[in-house]
Amino acid sequence: MRITKLDGLRGIFSLMIVFLHYKKPLLPNYIYDSFIIRESYAFVDFFFVLSGFVIAHNYNSLKSKDEFWKYLKKRFARLYPLLLFTVLINLSFLLFTTYFLPQFRNNIEPLSVHLLKTLDSLTFLNSTPILGDSSGTNPASWSISSEMISYIAFGLFCISIASKNLKIIFSIGLIVISCLFLYHGGEYFSNGKFGFLRGFVGFFSGYIVWELNKLKFKLNNNLEFVIPIILVLILHRLNTIENTSQAGLIFSMISIPLFFSLSILCLLKTNGVLSKLLDLKPIQFLGKISYSVYLNHGILILIFPRVVFKVFKLEETEFNQILILSISIILVLTFSNFTYKYVEQKGGKFLRKQLLRSPSYKLSSQQT
């Protein structure tokens, strides 16, 4: 299933994550301190909600164990090539700098720690506390772990529950239980330790959106103008409250998944100006390579700006900072386009062929 405007929105949010992780000393303060950038971590929840919606649309009819395993193999083939590629790239950088360029590292960790973090990432466990509470060798990959765990939970839920009403009740129950657990732990925006629960909240909210979308109704196209306004208000509120406080926890776990769920439903039922903007070719390009942008950006924006400013001693003026930021973004997009074509698509096609013995398979164009 392909809904182009949602692809476009995911592309924009992936790019915002790049700005979020760009290092403070290398950016003008007015850019780094912008509340929209500082609270962009919330956009990961949009990825979870959208994933739940798309997976529900494509795989809600799962009924048997054989279908379940085939579904998991497809999802594994979709996620794993790029995950493996980026984790190994990050591991190589960490090991090289540990032994040869320690000045590039803020802290030096032993080989055993690096290998454990790599195992954590490559086994999809780095959103759980099973192998520790880190986010893995490629820190952004914690959300890929959350995705995979949600895929497994959704598949089991499909083959175990036949009634639509029971599925909705189960989904609401899982969302509530996950929120209560995160509330008890004092952190909703959890990553490496209990990030899979945050994934459950978004993913199964996406499933409920899919159920609501089946209802025959349309919304006024002008409602699309409300989406960016409310988003800005939510991000501003997140910036003014402490996320681990009681008020911050309640606000986060209610407003974030609910807003993204209603926004997706609104965009599905409208075709206004925002929909048309999200369908523009540059935005669609961002959507197409968004998975690669998300997993590639960390290492690229860590190395390139630091080399330019610290090794080649470029003066850190405001103009130079913005120039290097712009080049860094172009570098991320260019490299991500390459990995989209040659790692995501070709690697995924090869792996799926091996797992399913289906040489005629063509990858779905919907990036989930």
Side-chain angles (χ1 to χ4, degrees):
M1 178 189 187
R2 181 176 176 84
I3 302 173
T4 55
K5 53 188 169 183
L6 297 181
D7 277 346
L9 197 54
R10 177 172 46 202
I12 293 173
F13 288 165
S14 294
L15 193 58
M16 292 302 299
I17 299 293
V18 181
F19 285 98
L20 170 69
H21 291 149
Y22 204 88
K23 299 301 180 183
K24 181 175 184 178
L26 307 179
L27 273 181
N29 289 338
Y30 65 86
I31 294 179
Y32 183 87
D33 293 333
S34 165
F35 70 88
I36 293 177
I37 292 176
R38 295 278 50 84
E39 310 307 321
S40 290
Y41 55 82
F43 294 146
V44 176
D45 295 81
F46 171 82
F47 304 152
F48 292 143
V49 178
L50 179 58
S51 181
F53 173 82
V54 174
I55 294 300
H57 181 85
N58 289 315
Y59 297 104
N60 70 90
S61 61
L62 293 176
K63 291 184 176 62
S64 67
K65 291 181 180 178
D66 287 342
E67 290 178 337
F68 171 73
W69 286 115
K70 185 176 181 180
Y71 149 76
L72 279 189
K73 289 175 181 178
K74 289 180 180 179
R75 303 321 305 157
F76 179 82
R78 171 70 185 95
L79 296 180
Y80 210 69
L82 187 65
L83 175 67
L84 176 63
F85 177 82
T86 58
V87 166
L88 293 181
I89 290 290
N90 276 264
L91 177 62
S92 300
F93 171 77
L94 291 172
L95 294 180
F96 182 79
T97 52
T98 295
Y99 293 107
F100 299 104
L101 294 171
Q103 65 270 25
F104 267 75
R105 302 290 306 283
N106 294 326
N107 62 303
I108 301 296
E109 295 174 317
L111 177 62
S112 59
V113 172
H114 292 310
L115 295 179
L116 182 62
K117 287 182 178 181
T118 300
L119 180 65
D120 208 11
S121 295
L122 295 181
T123 53
F124 295 107
L125 292 175
N126 55 321
S127 65
T128 77
I130 294 175
L131 294 181
D133 60 1
S134 79
S135 296
T137 299
N138 180 356
S141 68
W142 75 268
S143 67
I144 311 306
S145 163
S146 295
E147 289 265 356
M148 194 64 188
I149 293 171
S150 292
Y151 294 160
I152 294 171
F154 178 79
L156 292 173
F157 141 99
C158 281
I159 65 174
S160 304
I161 305 173
S163 166
K164 181 185 79 170
N165 291 336
L166 284 179
K167 286 180 178 179
I168 294 174
I169 292 171
F170 175 87
S171 297
I172 294 173
L174 185 57
I175 291 168
V176 171
I177 291 170
S178 297
C179 284
L180 289 175
F181 192 94
L182 292 169
Y183 179 81
H184 182 264
E187 184 181 10
Y188 174 73
F189 293 110
S190 181
N191 295 348
K193 194 171 184 179
F194 292 107
F196 74 97
L197 294 176
R198 180 180 168 191
F200 279 167
V201 175
F203 188 94
F204 284 91
S205 295
Y207 166 75
I208 294 173
V209 171
W210 177 75
E211 290 285 3
L212 292 173
N213 184 56
K214 291 191 294 181
L215 301 175
K216 303 297 181 182
F217 66 93
K218 295 292 292 183
L219 295 173
N220 190 302
N221 289 339
N222 290 326
L223 280 175
E224 290 188 357
F225 291 112
V226 178
I227 294 175
I229 294 172
I230 296 179
L231 176 59
V232 169
L233 292 175
I234 289 175
L235 295 178
H236 185 268
R237 179 59 178 162
L238 286 175
N239 192 249
T240 60
I241 59 175
E242 174 59 50
N243 286 337
T244 56
S245 68
Q246 185 179 46
L249 282 167
I250 294 173
F251 178 79
S252 299
M253 66 179 55
I254 292 176
S255 66
I256 300 300
L258 181 61
F259 167 74
F260 287 132
S261 297
L262 293 177
S263 296
I264 289 174
L265 184 61
C266 177
L267 287 170
L268 290 167
K269 297 296 185 179
T270 56
N271 190 32
V273 174
L274 181 58
S275 292
K276 291 177 173 58
L277 288 174
L278 292 173
D279 270 330
L280 293 174
K281 284 186 178 180
I283 306 300
Q284 286 300 299
F285 172 72
L286 284 178
K288 181 179 71 172
I289 65 172
S290 58
Y291 181 40
S292 277
V293 169
Y294 183 71
L295 285 188
N296 284 327
H297 78 274
I299 191 74
L300 294 174
I301 64 173
L302 173 65
I303 296 175
F304 177 70
R306 188 174 296 189
V307 167
V308 172
F309 286 116
K310 305 301 181 185
V311 177
F312 291 102
K313 306 296 183 182
L314 182 67
E315 186 179 0
E316 294 183 25
T317 64
E318 181 178 313
F319 175 83
N320 287 340
Q321 288 177 332
I322 294 176
L323 175 64
I324 298 307
L325 169 65
S326 302
I327 296 174
S328 298
I329 297 298
I330 293 171
L331 179 63
V332 169
L333 297 180
T334 303
F335 186 68
S336 295
N337 188 43
F338 171 83
T339 59
Y340 168 73
K341 292 178 179 177
Y342 297 103
V343 180
E344 284 189 60
Q345 288 196 312
K346 291 192 174 182
K349 186 174 183 179
F350 172 80
L351 186 56
R352 194 177 193 278
K353 179 179 177 180
Q354 299 306 308
L355 292 173
L356 300 177
R357 304 298 180 188
S358 177
S360 62
Y361 171 71
K362 184 177 181 181
L363 279 175
S364 168
S365 58
Q366 178 72 34
Q367 307 295 298
T368 61

